[in-house]
Amino acid sequence: MEKIQHKNVNVNGINMHVAEIGEGPAVLFLHGFPELWYTWRHQMLFISSKGYRAIAPDLRGFGDTEAPPSSTSYTALHIVGDLVCLLDSLGLDKVYLVGHDWGAIISWYMCLFRPDRIKALVNMSVVYTPRNPLVKPLEQFRQTFGDDFYICRFQEVGWEEEFAKVDTKRQLAASYFNRNPSAPKLPKDYAKFFNPKPYTLPSWFTEEDLDYFASKYRATGFRGAFNYYRCFDLNWELCAAWTGSKISVPVKFIVGDLDLTYSFPGTKEYIHGGRFKKMVPGLEEVVVMEGVAHFINQEKPQEINGHIFDFINKF
C-alpha cells in the first residue's frame, strides 16, 4: 500500500484526489457509496503487478476530493466531465474502466457519453438501466419500494444531519457487512432506531480498513454522497437525448447473488432474460458469484482481480 502514490489534480473546476500505482495501459477504477478510492486497494496492487497503471480517484464529493455545495453539481454530466478532464490531465486517450455501485452507474454513463475514451468495461453490482421516458426514477422507486426506501429518504433536506447523529464507524460496518439482500428501508427517525448488533469483522476486512473509511467520512460527512442520489431525476431530465441508446463497448458484468441490487424486482429477469444483452450489445460475460454480497471487490478480491485481468487482457 505504501507504494501507491497520491496527488491532487485540478479537473472541471474542482480539486480531485487521485491514487495511482504502476506503469502501462491505464485502468480507471470508480468507487461507490459509502466507499472511496480505497475500496480498490486489492485490485490496484494486483493489476499494477501485471503491467498496468491503476488509477483510482475519490469522486466528486467523496474523501479528499472537493465537494461543491449545490446538490445540482452532482449530475452524471458533472461526474463524467470530471473523469474526462482527469484523463486529459494525465495524458490518457483511452482507458480500461472498472466500476462498482455508483461507480458502476457513472461507468455506464461514461460509456454512453464518451465511448471513444473506453477500451473495455468491467462493471459490478448495478446493471445498465435504460431511460424510461414515461416515468421519473424517484417516482418509480416510491411506487416500488415506498417512501422509506433509502434512495427516497436521501432526498430529504437535512438527512445528512440525521446520519451524523449515528457513530460513523458502526454505521459503515452495518453497511459493509450486511448480507441481507432485501431493499434497505430507513425509518424517518433513523438515528433513534439505529441499533445494529455489535459488528464482527469478516475475514476480508480489517479494523484498519474500517478506520480509514470512517476517518474520511467523519471529516466530510455524507452530503456529497447523498447529492448523487438527489440527482436521479435531474439526470433523467438531462439525459433525454440518450433515450434508447445502447452500450457498445466490450463489457463484463459481475454481481453477487446476495447483492441487494440483484434482488431488486425484475433485475434477475432483465439480466438473464435477454434484455440486458439487448441494451448492452457489447456485453460479453455475466458472472453471478454465489454467496457474495454487495461489496464484492472487497469480499472476494482474488476472484475479482482475476475477472478484471482476464477480461481487459483480451483487448
Side-chain angles (χ1 to χ4, degrees):
M1 289 290 287
E2 65 276 3
K3 294 181 180 179
I4 295 177
Q5 298 179 336
H6 298 266
K7 60 185 175 184
N8 290 318
V9 181
N10 187 270
V11 298
N12 200 20
I14 65 169
N15 287 313
M16 173 174 278
H17 165 247
V18 182
E20 185 175 343
I21 185 172
E23 297 179 356
V27 184
L28 179 63
F29 293 90
L30 305 183
H31 68 80
F33 170 78
E35 298 174 274
L36 304 162
W37 76 268
Y38 189 86
T39 189
W40 299 113
R41 58 198 178 281
H42 304 297
Q43 287 72 43
M44 294 181 73
L45 296 177
F46 175 81
I47 212 70
S48 63
S49 74
K50 295 295 185 180
Y52 290 87
R53 179 183 179 186
I55 303 165
D58 282 335
L59 295 176
R60 170 183 293 236
F62 286 89
D64 294 321
T65 290
E66 195 171 340
S70 173
S71 63
T72 59
S73 296
Y74 292 80
T75 70
L77 293 171
H78 286 90
I79 312 305
V80 172
D82 295 346
L83 297 170
V84 171
C85 290
L86 174 62
L87 299 187
D88 290 344
S89 70
L90 297 177
L92 297 170
D93 180 44
K94 301 184 78 169
V95 296
Y96 299 104
L97 189 59
V98 180
H100 172 256
D101 188 77
W102 259 107
I105 297 174
I106 297 303
S107 293
W108 294 126
Y109 276 121
M110 192 162 183
C111 290
L112 273 184
F113 302 158
R114 295 303 304 269
D116 58 306
R117 307 302 295 265
I118 309 301
K119 296 179 182 178
L121 167 65
V122 179
N123 235 4
M124 299 172 220
S125 294
V126 184
V127 296
Y128 174 59
T129 303
R131 181 182 183 275
N132 182 347
L134 301 179
V135 60
K136 291 185 177 183
L138 291 177
E139 180 183 345
Q140 186 68 58
F141 287 139
R142 288 194 171 94
Q143 288 176 356
T144 305
F145 301 108
D147 290 337
D148 57 351
F149 183 53
Y150 75 107
I151 292 176
C152 300
R153 279 282 178 243
F154 288 174
Q155 307 303 313
E156 298 177 13
V157 175
W159 193 254
E160 46 268 53
E161 284 79 9
E162 184 72 13
F163 244 53
K165 296 175 183 177
V166 175
D167 178 73
T168 303
K169 194 170 180 178
R170 290 183 67 224
Q171 187 157 239
L172 292 175
S175 177
Y176 296 154
F177 311 149
N178 174 44
R179 307 192 69 75
N180 181 355
S182 61
K185 303 291 184 72
L186 303 178
K188 195 164 186 65
D189 295 325
Y190 170 73
K192 179 180 179 181
F193 293 102
F194 180 83
N195 189 31
K197 297 178 181 178
Y199 67 84
T200 300
L201 288 170
S203 60
W204 48 271
F205 213 87
T206 69
E207 198 73 35
E208 182 182 14
D209 296 334
L210 189 55
D211 285 339
Y212 182 85
F213 283 114
S215 69
K216 295 301 180 181
Y217 276 99
R218 285 194 192 104
T220 64
F222 290 89
R223 179 176 283 118
F226 289 172
N227 284 338
Y228 282 67
Y229 295 91
R230 291 165 178 167
C231 283
F232 264 114
D233 279 358
L234 184 54
N235 284 332
W236 181 88
E237 294 176 16
L238 294 173
C239 295
W242 285 273
T243 301
S245 295
K246 300 179 180 182
I247 304 295
S248 58
V249 305
V251 176
K252 181 175 192 172
F253 181 75
I254 311 170
V255 67
D257 67 350
L258 297 180
D259 193 321
L260 60 96
T261 64
Y262 189 57
S263 296
F264 283 175
T267 298
K268 294 175 184 176
E269 294 79 5
Y270 174 72
I271 292 174
H272 303 295
R275 288 187 61 231
F276 190 25
K277 173 65 175 176
K278 182 178 179 180
M279 295 309 302
V280 186
L283 183 66
E284 297 191 10
E285 297 181 50
V286 172
V287 178
V288 180
M289 298 179 66
E290 294 185 5
V292 183
H294 183 64
F295 296 94
I296 190 168
N297 57 301
Q298 297 186 83
E299 183 178 344
K300 294 292 182 181
Q302 292 182 339
E303 291 89 335
I304 295 300
N305 292 346
H307 282 304
I308 293 171
F309 177 70
D310 289 346
F311 191 65
I312 68 175
N313 196 44
K314 295 163 55 177
F315 304 95

